[in-house]
Amino acid sequence: MEKESVKFYPNRGMTALLGIIMLGAGYILIKKVLFSEDGLGVTPVAYIFFGVLLLAAAIIGIGCLIKTFDPRPVVEFMPEGMLIRTFIFLEDFVPWEEVAGVKHEQHTQRVVSPVARVRVTSSFLRVYRSAGRSLAINLHLLNKRGDEFYHTLSHYLELGKTQSV
């Protein structure tokens, strides 16, 4: 089996753009709605709603900007398994044994095994595990380098299938 890993990093342009948009939306909420001098007639319930929106925009914006400059890969395929960094500081290792004996269904791109299930769509990579929570990666925010991500995933799943037989 191969000794080196294949790493996939975030799409830095997309995450930076999303971070800037979310922080800009937060700025507009602060300047034009929450603390506007002309008094827009915002009700107390609306202040709470806009405050929650402001908090969500700030968290998503800062998280995206941190992810933009984070030097670590989001997904790393290794001969032992795959390392997935779901959030800024959280990472999970999924050994190929949890995804062994996979079967490709061509039309749905669903990979099934008795222990775990992997589903790849055009938007998300989701790994369902029986012993642990499921993991998901937004593929729009991942630099897939064309079809290399999908080919690498298929390659390692095939290697895991032949190793378990």
Side-chain angles (χ1 to χ4, degrees):
M1 199 178 262
E2 301 166 3
K3 296 295 181 201
E4 60 185 64
S5 64
V6 181
K7 301 174 183 179
F8 293 92
Y9 294 90
N11 184 342
R12 300 198 192 284
M14 186 71 82
T15 55
L17 180 65
L18 183 60
I20 290 169
I21 288 172
M22 294 307 289
L23 291 176
Y27 176 77
I28 291 170
L29 275 173
I30 289 173
K31 290 297 274 186
K32 300 295 182 187
V33 177
L34 294 176
F35 300 111
S36 104
E37 294 177 8
D38 56 355
L40 295 173
V42 179
T43 65
V45 174
Y47 270 112
I48 293 171
F49 177 73
F50 287 130
V52 170
L53 280 178
L54 174 64
L55 181 65
I59 290 171
I60 293 171
I62 292 170
C64 284
L65 290 180
I66 289 172
K67 202 65 173 160
T68 299
F69 298 107
D70 187 6
R72 299 173 303 159
V74 175
V75 178
E76 184 174 354
F77 295 117
M78 298 173 275
E80 302 83 29
M82 66 176 124
L83 181 66
I84 299 175
R85 290 181 178 84
T86 52
F87 295 108
I88 297 169
F89 303 112
L90 299 177
E91 61 183 39
D92 285 302
F93 180 76
V94 180
W96 293 119
E97 290 81 35
E98 286 190 17
V99 200
V102 296
K103 180 179 124 194
H104 288 279
E105 295 177 15
Q106 220 169 23
H107 298 291
T108 60
Q109 293 184 346
R110 189 174 287 172
V111 182
V112 181
S113 83
V115 179
R117 189 172 76 219
V118 175
R119 183 167 188 239
V120 181
T121 63
S122 60
S123 301
F124 288 94
L125 163 70
R126 182 170 292 273
V127 178
Y128 299 96
R129 301 182 294 175
S130 60
R133 65 180 178 82
S134 67
L135 305 170
I137 298 293
N138 185 341
L139 295 179
H140 290 297
L141 298 177
L142 184 71
N143 184 1
K144 297 181 292 286
R145 299 191 299 258
D147 286 341
E148 185 178 350
F149 176 81
Y150 301 110
H151 292 298
T152 305
L153 177 62
S154 296
H155 172 72
Y156 276 106
L157 287 175
E158 287 296 321
L159 282 177
K161 186 165 97 173
T162 58
Q163 292 292 326
S164 66
V165 173

